Amino acid sequence: MINANLKGSLHALIAPLGAIALTMALGFLLVAAISDEPVLAYRELLFANFDSLSNFALFLNRATPLVLISVGITFAFRAGVFNVGGEGQLFAGAIATTVVGIAFAGLPAVILFPFAVIAGIAAGAAIGWVPGILKVKLGVDEVVVTLMLNTIVLLFTSYLVNQVIRDTTAYGAVSWKLPEHIWLPTIPGIPGATSGFMVAVVLSLLSWVVLFRTHWGAEVRSAGTNLRYAEAVGIAAGNRVITAMLIAGGFAGLAGALYVLGIGHRFEQNFSPEYGLIALTCALLARVNPAASLFTALYYALMLNGAAYMQISTEVPRSLVMLLTGLLVLLMTARLTRKGSNSQTFDAF
Amino acid sequence: MSYESLLASVLEQSTPLVLAALAAMITLRANILNVAVEGMMLVSAFSAIAVGSATGSALAGFSAGIFGAVGTSLVFSIITLRFGAGFIVAGLGINLLAAGGTLFALERWYNSPGGLRPLGFPEMWHVPEGSLSFIPLLGPALEGQSIIVLLTVLAVPACWMFLYRTPTGSYLRAAGEDEHAARSAGINVVRMKVLAVTISGLFSGLAGAQLAMDKLHFFLPNMTAGRGFIGLAATLFGAGHPWVTASAAVLFGFFGALGDRLQAFDIPAQFVLMLPYLVAILALTFSRWRIYVRNKPAKL
Amino acid sequence: MGHDNILVLDGITKKFGDIVALEHVDLSIRRGEVHVVCGENGAGKSTLMNILVGIHAPDGGKIVFNGKETTIRDPLAAGAMGIGMVHQHFTLVPSMSVAENLFLGHHLRHFGFFSDRQAMVERAGTLIDTYSFALDPEASVRTLSVGQRQRVEILKALVFDAELLILDEPTAVLTPPEVEELLKVITNLRDRGRTVLFITHKLREVKAVSDRVTILRRGKNISTHITKAVTENDIARDMVGRDVFLMGRQGQGARAFGKNVLQLENVSITNSNGRLLLDGINLDVRAGEVLGIAGVDGNGQTELAEAIAGLIPVQAGTIRLDGTDINNASVVRRQEAGLGFVPEDRLDRGLSRNMSIAENMAATNYLRAGILWRGFVDKGRLAEFTQKGIEQFDIRGAKPSLTVGSLSGGNMQKVVLAREFARDPKVLLVSQPTRGLDIGASEFVYSEILSAADKGNGILLISSELSEIFALADRIAVIYSGRIMQILTREDADEETVGILMNGGKEQAA
């Protein structure tokens, strides 16, 4: 029994690891073609993150929003909603926290801090709720709605940050700084690393328990795999789907809140290198498992930050990582056999 | 401003959107939600500028744009239809790959991550003045426009002809609507889907070439700025019908053109730019709501 | 032979892995006859037809068509040879016109590139007139009724001049008047020189339409008869291998029952056009009783089941479970009040194929079976509970952690039964419990249902298989067009009466 389970989980690892290995190999060929020092470039890409404590701190900071968003997306996917709206939900959370933090800067931290965080979560959840309710009540395609909402939210934050809360002393589309008393503390011993990372780790493990070890989690997964079955066995399936989308949006909103409170300390219109899309990649690579997406998010943070070190040390441009991400997303759901779909995969995606 | 010049500016503004919408439409008819239009447009815009400036030939640049997008569409076909990847995930992958690939090329070979602005760039072929004046209203509006604008105006009825008046178009619709029925009638469903994706590559290629080559003559990272998604919204709004889809795209283009004007009335540009996306969500919701109401059980 | 055979099958064998689907089947079809192949589910009828149209290749034996030994590569090749197939599931494109559908894949052309729509409409019109089908060639298929769609499906085979027309269970989706129409169409086709191979397991149709009948049982052909020379009971005996009507409770006499556990009073449901899908249904089921709902599919059975289960609201009337009004109760409330529900389609409402057997079996039992501890799942108790169900219902190849999708149809159905029976519900609503199951699995399901009744559970059995109703039911209610025509006790019911009622009580059974 244990052996069979182990075999099963090993088997489940082959496809994502294969896609990662293939992508890294293709990337290496590309680097080798344009650079004299491909090995150095790859060393920098993967290991420079551990060269110093400050590099490591940046690495953890990069991972934090990725972990949170991809765990949130996991809830949506498990409930059968293909949520491509992580980016919009993230921005909604970040801007809401910023607006609250700036508008009520005079309040003491004990009140303002939770208020700002809750505002971020609520804004993200609200953006997640829209596609959820539209899908459940009317069957509107969630992919289109979430894609459109991303642009709408980004335009809205662009308006706020340019016209309303813009820091007129700074260059670019950035807001005023948040009051220092609600900044998130750093992790003790790692200067510069946001303690938001600890929150992300705890929440990802907690999410695994909720999804796979509680009755509620079983109900969400039932609704996600077969809505009509879920109804017939007495699950309030629509309700579960909407709740899962609220959670997904809430997680992305929290990611935005923790980003401005712990890393950026202000809202910047260009703070996200497509975190939403990369987090979706992490969630799918982790086979829609919140605990596993902790690791895929860390892997991605490694690459995103490593690219900068790679560019400094060798002449390989950092946009290599974006290229590799594209390749990985492209290859991720591909299968070598034509009809090789097994019951573990998410056929609909 | 005369009607002709107003029409001319709306045509120019909305051409990339109409082409993106047709690209998404043709795949939607084969039951593929094509989010990769954005990426294919970007590849086309980049190849058009890169090759056009290197060769000094507008035709070479134009062809490179088309080939770039069609090539990308083939990658999309192979990864989804041969290797079974999901259309949405693979489409998002294509977009990332296009964005990353063009940026990578800019950084690596042109050393200018900010964009590619060649000093001199060959002019596109334009519709000669007076050549179409025999067509009322539309003729004068087309004169002086790039050849791609003219092609786009022709592409809409051509798409309609193809889908509703040719056997292949009919089979493509059948493959999209009911795969089982199509297959049992001897139609090669995979081939139809490849055809749809390839045509969508062609339209995306035209869209990207128009965007970069017509007036701007340069390439910027992410210069497509979501036009592929607006095209998708127009298609869903038009339920895959060529005329409605194209009209929706023109309307969305009109909102874009309106954006600058409305700022004079203190309405921020961002809110005007949001309109097509908001309209798309509302329109989709409304059409589903109507179906919902129609299917409700009647009162006794 | 003396006869002109259009098709001869000689020793056809087909295996799927270890399972022998067909074993040395011989069949000869005479030109211009209507030949019925009948047999129980799983007897090999579908496999045989799939071989004839080239979907499966036989592992042994030969096919002789029009005097020549042939191999049939694929459905297109079959069509080109003159074998046309009318599938049980329609292969029509709803948004296209009748004419477009008829010529799908073979459009007539103008200038080699454009569709010649006018020519197609004309050709379709001629064809429709030839067979006097009332159809508008330019009407979109979406607007047609199921019966009309089936006629389009038949025409599709005739466009390319099929000599041999195979109809696979064509009456399964039709209402009784549509069945009558179809039987006339088949006779008409024969009169025009076509050969028709008709697959069914409904005895009445066999008698009504065929010249000869071949019976398959467990992958072997048992017998071929001239239809006139045999009775329905003879055919039934060959199909099942013994006297069907001796199964189950037949001949046991009246049993004693308890109080009413399920009551329906004037229950009505409409569709969006205002048509009544259920029209004033009055029913009651007593403890320990099996009430069978007999009827042709599509006469309101689905709505009846979903209304009782709480999945669709009723527009009028009252549903009582054990005396309490459950009209406005949620699905869970109804379960708690003692309702068990086995849906008609296990992969639709019954199971989630991508989830584990354990999670499927526990779905309605988490609280009752003590699997939960403060909302958390006790994995040990879950495995224990599932293992018990697997053993009790003899679910082969099952382990709690495997996905349900890895099981065969019969074993999937057992997972549903194990889940619902585990709660020992006061009322068990069982819909089409043996659809798609082989005889062995069906018998197991029968005995489980009967022993549940013996324990005192009230059972509402909805089935379109008359033999099933007769084997299990203490009383038989016949549903037609959303109405209960009559309720008979098993002693008073015979197949002829029930058959007449199932068809609206108007025509004489053949």
Side-chain angles (χ1 to χ4, degrees), chain C residues 324-464:
Chain C
T324 44
D325 183 345
I326 56 163
N327 253 10
N328 298 314
S330 68
V331 177
V332 182
R333 273 284 133 67
R334 293 177 199 220
Q335 285 171 4
E336 286 165 358
L339 181 71
F341 176 39
V342 178
E344 58 184 11
D345 181 348
R346 51 188 164 269
L347 287 178
D348 175 37
R349 288 248 192 231
L351 297 164
S352 174
R353 65 184 310 161
N354 286 340
M355 290 177 77
S356 69
I357 293 170
E359 291 193 303
N360 272 282
M361 209 183 278
T364 60
N365 294 301
Y366 277 108
L367 281 173
R368 257 203 76 267
I371 298 164
L372 289 185
W373 178 79
R374 301 187 175 199
F376 289 91
V377 175
D378 181 335
K379 285 298 242 190
R381 297 293 290 273
L382 177 63
E384 207 176 290
F385 169 79
T386 314
Q387 199 55 46
K388 215 174 99 195
I390 289 172
E391 278 157 25
Q392 196 182 335
F393 280 79
D394 188 26
I395 306 173
R396 296 189 198 143
K399 271 189 297 185
S401 61
L402 287 178
T403 58
V404 157
S406 64
L407 297 175
S408 71
N411 285 317
M412 282 189 204
Q413 186 73 345
K414 287 180 184 174
V415 174
V416 182
L417 293 173
R419 175 178 74 219
E420 298 305 315
F421 281 50
R423 291 208 314 280
D424 192 17
K426 283 188 196 123
V427 176
L428 246 175
L429 170 55
V430 186
S431 205
Q432 315 293 359
T434 60
R435 185 165 281 178
L437 302 195
D438 62 27
I439 292 183
S442 301
E443 265 180 337
F444 182 85
V445 172
Y446 283 10
S447 70
E448 285 301 322
I449 291 175
L450 291 178
S451 66
D454 287 337
K455 275 195 298 183
N457 303 341
I459 293 175
L460 185 66
L461 167 74
I462 299 176
S463 176
S464 50

Side-chain angles (χ1 to χ4, degrees), chain A residues 214-239:
Chain A
T214 67
H215 189 210
W216 184 88
E219 292 191 332
V220 168
R221 287 181 292 116
S222 302
T225 49
N226 184 350
L227 196 78
R228 287 173 57 77
Y229 150 79
E231 286 171 353
V233 294
I235 295 167
N239 177 304

Side-chain angles (χ1 to χ4, degrees), chain B residues 159-174 187, chain C residues 96-97 99-101 103-122:
Chain B
C159 274
W160 179 84
M161 274 300 254
F162 170 70
L163 283 174
Y164 295 97
R165 289 292 180 269
T166 69
T168 314
S170 211
Y171 304 163
L172 192 150
R173 284 188 294 131
I187 294 167
Chain C
M96 293 184 180
S97 72
E100 275 181 292
N101 266 291
F103 290 94
L104 190 62
H106 316 268
H107 267 219
L108 303 176
R109 290 164 192 248
H110 260 328
F111 316 118
F113 185 71
F114 293 103
S115 305
D116 192 342
R117 290 155 53 86
Q118 193 162 4
M120 290 194 285
V121 169
E122 274 167 24

Side-chain angles (χ1 to χ4, degrees), chain C residues 72-93:
Chain C
I72 303 168
R73 282 192 327 278
D74 55 48
L76 287 182
M81 285 165 59
I83 301 177
M85 174 95 174
V86 176
H87 292 272
Q88 194 176 350
H89 302 290
F90 296 155
T91 58
L92 302 173
V93 183

Side-chain angles (χ1 to χ4, degrees), chain A residues 22 56 218 231 266:
Chain A
L22 185 58
F56 188 65
E231 286 171 353
R266 58 161 43 138

Side-chain angles (χ1 to χ4, degrees), chain B residues 214-238:
Chain B
D214 185 19
K215 292 272 159 66
L216 300 179
H217 297 174
F218 57 73
F219 173 81
L220 296 178
N222 199 22
M223 78 185 297
T224 47
R227 285 186 177 80
F229 296 130
I230 300 191
L232 191 63
T235 302
L236 290 161
F237 182 85

